[in-house]
């Protein structure tokens, strides 16, 4: 039956490389024996042995110290570089995964809107986890394989040229705003004039349901005018603020929700029109992925509604409001 | 001293010790010692070190070529003796010089600082 010391020494040396295993084991035994001998007079042998071993501590940690391996996954030299890469990767990869999921939705119609949304969420989660794992793995390997010089060189030497541009006061280029305003007004006009409802083929069936012009198209036209006004306000303020973002959110909801509902319930497209379109283009008859389009519109609408708030938050972080 | 100050002090003292333990070891090991004897000598001189820090450190210094070691099998209990090598002696001299320079620097700063 092994003594406590035997078991301890075995636990330490088990984790050591072959070469030093026996030597360290021998020395460790001698040291433990010396420590026990050096105990205060009157201490029981067993107690002294326990004390000596517990002083040396967790055999795994002791073995780690003997082997001189780095006790961290990613070291301080490389860590800031790692963070920078992670920040980029954790945004780009889930975004790409999401776009691919949306494409998949349009091409391969999900059974319900719920399933479509789950697919998108799944893509975001998977993209995020995969990106985090592989990036961390690469850096952990680099920490162990590359020597100090290589690691220091991995992050290029900082010079003043790399100083960040100050976040601009003006977030909206004027040209873009002008195009947006004009486009919104023109679109509103065309909508109300029913010019945006193309007739297709010999039968003259319309693409969109004509009933829509009783209510919905006026609704959308009105919101286009509202978005033009919002664009004017954006130009005057120069950057996203919470009120602007809130108005944007409201307009977005008022457009997206009815549009998604119309798409999902088949109230947008005229069946005669879509059939004529299919005949014209020579497509196989199959369900236009209405649910798919609905999901895409919902996600796009959600994104454009929420992104300004993110911009406001980021701006607050960069320019903390001075306390009055 | 408040408890918070004592905790902070303990952390900084640990850093200070960590920075000087090699100097202390090399100084003692100008004469051959085995692991436990070194620990006792350091402790007796007021430089307490944990065994699980000291013993791996001796191996590392050996790998760096600052120490030589040999097994003494004369006694009933075989022990591994460490001693400063030629390179180790050079490094020790350098560290002692650095230590003296630091002492002068800190003393100079202290005296030069108006209170």
């Amino acid at each position: 039956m092994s003594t406590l010391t035997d078991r301890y020494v075995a636990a330490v040396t088990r984790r050591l490389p072959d070469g030093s295993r026996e030597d360290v084991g021998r020395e460790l035994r001698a040291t433990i024996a010396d420590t026990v001998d050096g105990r205060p007079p009157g201490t029981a042998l067993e107690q002294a042995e326990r004390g000596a071993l517990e002083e040396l501590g967790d055999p795994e940690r002791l073995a780690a110290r003997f082997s001189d391996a780095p006790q961290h996954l990613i070291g301080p030299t490389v860590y800031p570089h790692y963070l920078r890469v992670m920040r980029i990767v954790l945004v780009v990869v889930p975004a790409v995964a999401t776009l691919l999921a949306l494409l998949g939705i349009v091409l391969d119609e999900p059974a319900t809107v719920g399933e479509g949304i789950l697919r998108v969420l799944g893509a975001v989660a998977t993209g995020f986890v995969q990106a985090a794992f592989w990036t961390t793995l690469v850096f952990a390997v680099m920490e162990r394989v590359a020597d100090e010089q290589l690691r220091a060189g991995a992050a290029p030497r900082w010079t003043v040229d790399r100083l960040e541009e100050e976040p601009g006061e003006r977030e909206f280029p004027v040209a873009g705003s002008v195009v947006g305003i004009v486009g919104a007004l023109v679109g509103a006009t065309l909508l109300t004039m029913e010019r945006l409802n193309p007739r297709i083929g010999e039968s003259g069936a319309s693409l969109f349901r004509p009933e829509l012009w009783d209510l919905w198209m006026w609704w959308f036209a009105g919101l286009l005018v509202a978005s033009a006004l919002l664009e004017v306000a954006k130009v005057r303020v120069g950057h996203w603020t919470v009120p602007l973002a809130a108005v944007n959110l409201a307009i977005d909801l008022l457009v997206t929700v009815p549009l998604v509902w119309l798409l999902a319930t088949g109230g947008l497209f005229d069946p005669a029109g879509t059939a004529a379109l299919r005949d014209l283009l020579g497509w196989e008859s199959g369900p236009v992925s209405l649910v798919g389009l609905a999901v895409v519109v919902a996600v796009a609408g959600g994104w454009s509604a929420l992104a300004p708030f993110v911009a406001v938050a980021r701006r607050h972080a960069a320019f903390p409001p001075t306390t009055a | 001293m408040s408890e918070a100050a004592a905790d902070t002090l303990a952390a900084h003292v640990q850093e200070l010790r960590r920075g000087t333990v090699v100097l202390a070891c090399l100084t003692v090991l100008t004469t051959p010692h085995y692991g436990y004897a070194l620990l006792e000598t350091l402790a007796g001189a007021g430089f307490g070190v944990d065994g699980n820090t000291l013993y791996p450190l001796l191996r590392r210094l050996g790998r760096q070529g600052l120490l030589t070691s040999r097994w003494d099998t004369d006694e009933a209990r075989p022990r591994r003796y460490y001693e400063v090598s030629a390179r180790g002696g050079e490094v020790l001299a350098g560290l002692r010089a650095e230590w003296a320079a630091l002492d002068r620097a800190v003393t100079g700063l202290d005296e030069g600082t108006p209170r």
Side-chain angles (χ1 to χ4, degrees):
Chain A
M1 187 169 66
S2 301
T3 66
L4 222 49
T5 304
D6 290 333
R7 284 165 56 196
Y8 186 87
V9 172
V12 173
T13 55
R14 181 166 50 229
R15 293 175 173 88
L16 294 177
D18 277 337
S20 53
R21 194 173 290 168
E22 200 189 304
D23 201 66
V24 172
R26 277 172 85 196
E27 191 184 359
L28 208 50
R29 280 179 197 285
T31 306
I32 294 169
D34 283 336
T35 314
V36 167
D37 285 348
R39 72 190 179 279
T43 318
L45 202 67
E46 200 183 283
Q47 209 170 342
E49 193 183 10
R50 291 192 91 106
L53 294 182
E54 275 169 17
E55 233 175 76
L56 287 173
D58 187 348
E60 206 168 325
R61 303 197 93 193
L62 187 58
R65 290 187 207 203
F66 270 112
S67 69
D68 212 17
Q71 296 291 291
H72 49 245
L73 194 64
I74 289 169
T77 324
V78 143
Y79 187 66
H81 194 46
Y82 166 72
L83 283 184
R84 220 177 299 139
V85 172
M86 278 292 254
R87 251 179 254 135
I88 298 171
V89 159
L90 288 182
V91 169
V92 168
V93 172
V96 170
T98 306
L99 288 175
L100 290 176
L102 290 176
L103 186 67
I105 282 174
V106 172
L107 293 176
D108 174 22
E109 176 177 351
T112 64
V113 177
E115 184 191 321
I117 291 178
L118 275 176
R119 270 201 227 165
V120 172
L121 290 178
V124 172
T126 310
F128 191 86
V129 169
Q130 290 277 341
F133 175 76
W134 291 108
T135 308
T136 305
L137 184 66
V138 165
F139 272 88
V141 167
M142 178 152 69
E143 175 69 30
R144 276 148 189 75
V145 164
D147 64 19
E148 185 68 26
Q149 263 197 322
L150 209 67
R151 272 181 263 142
R157 185 173 170 70
W158 189 89
T159 62
V160 178
D161 297 328
R162 298 188 56 194
L163 198 55
E164 290 169 346
E165 290 283 327
E166 283 215 76
E169 283 292 334
R170 167 161 298 283
E171 277 178 29
F172 308 127
V174 177
S177 297
V178 169
V179 169
I181 294 169
V182 170
L185 291 176
V186 169
T189 314
L190 290 180
L191 258 185
T192 56
M193 286 164 53
E194 211 175 325
R195 288 299 159 87
L196 283 187
N197 199 1
R199 308 275 164 190
I200 301 169
E202 301 149 8
S203 57
S206 60
L207 181 63
F208 299 108
R209 289 183 185 271
E211 312 88 272
L212 292 174
W213 268 261
D214 293 334
L215 168 66
W216 284 117
M217 288 310 179
W218 292 94
W219 174 267
F220 291 129
L223 286 170
L224 272 176
V225 173
S227 77
L229 291 173
L230 175 66
E231 205 65 36
V232 172
K234 278 159 67 177
V235 170
R236 291 201 56 198
V237 175
H239 54 85
W240 280 114
T241 61
V242 175
L244 284 179
V247 171
N248 180 65
L249 172 68
I251 294 177
D252 212 276
L253 284 176
L254 291 173
V255 167
T256 308
V257 170
L259 196 56
V260 168
W261 182 75
L262 284 173
L263 269 172
T265 58
L268 189 66
F269 295 114
D270 190 331
T274 52
L277 187 64
R278 251 184 249 117
D279 285 341
L280 205 67
L281 294 175
W283 281 351
E284 291 295 325
S285 150
V288 175
S289 179
L290 291 176
V291 175
L293 280 177
V295 171
V296 173
V297 170
V299 171
W303 174 255
S304 73
L306 295 175
F309 287 104
V310 173
V312 172
R314 205 178 295 145
R315 197 181 172 78
H316 268 247
F319 303 119
T322 48
T323 48
Chain B
M1 184 181 298
S2 70
E3 193 180 319
D7 286 339
T8 318
L9 176 63
H12 287 295
V13 165
Q14 192 184 42
E15 275 305 305
L16 201 55
R17 292 267 183 85
R18 202 180 313 195
T20 44
V21 66
V22 172
L23 171 56
C25 283
L26 292 180
T27 304
V28 174
L29 291 177
T30 45
T31 52
H33 283 68
Y34 59 90
Y36 183 70
L38 174 62
L39 189 89
E40 289 279 284
T41 307
L42 289 173
F47 202 111
V49 195
D50 284 335
N52 54 27
T53 309
L54 185 64
Y55 305 130
L57 175 64
L58 292 175
R59 295 258 163 185
R60 196 174 313 137
L61 294 176
R63 282 199 291 269
Q64 290 175 350
L66 304 182
L67 298 176
T68 58
S69 59
R70 57 175 178 80
W71 278 98
D72 183 338
T73 46
D74 294 340
E75 306 276 315
R77 180 176 298 160
R79 291 199 181 90
R80 200 173 204 244
Y81 278 79
Y82 295 89
E83 191 180 5
V84 164
S85 69
R87 186 195 298 183
E90 287 173 23
V91 169
L92 172 59
L95 284 175
R96 287 302 299 271
E98 191 59 38
W99 176 258
L102 281 172
D103 187 33
R104 278 196 303 274
V106 170
T107 310
L109 287 169
D110 188 41
E111 285 167 0
T113 306
R115 290 210 216 287

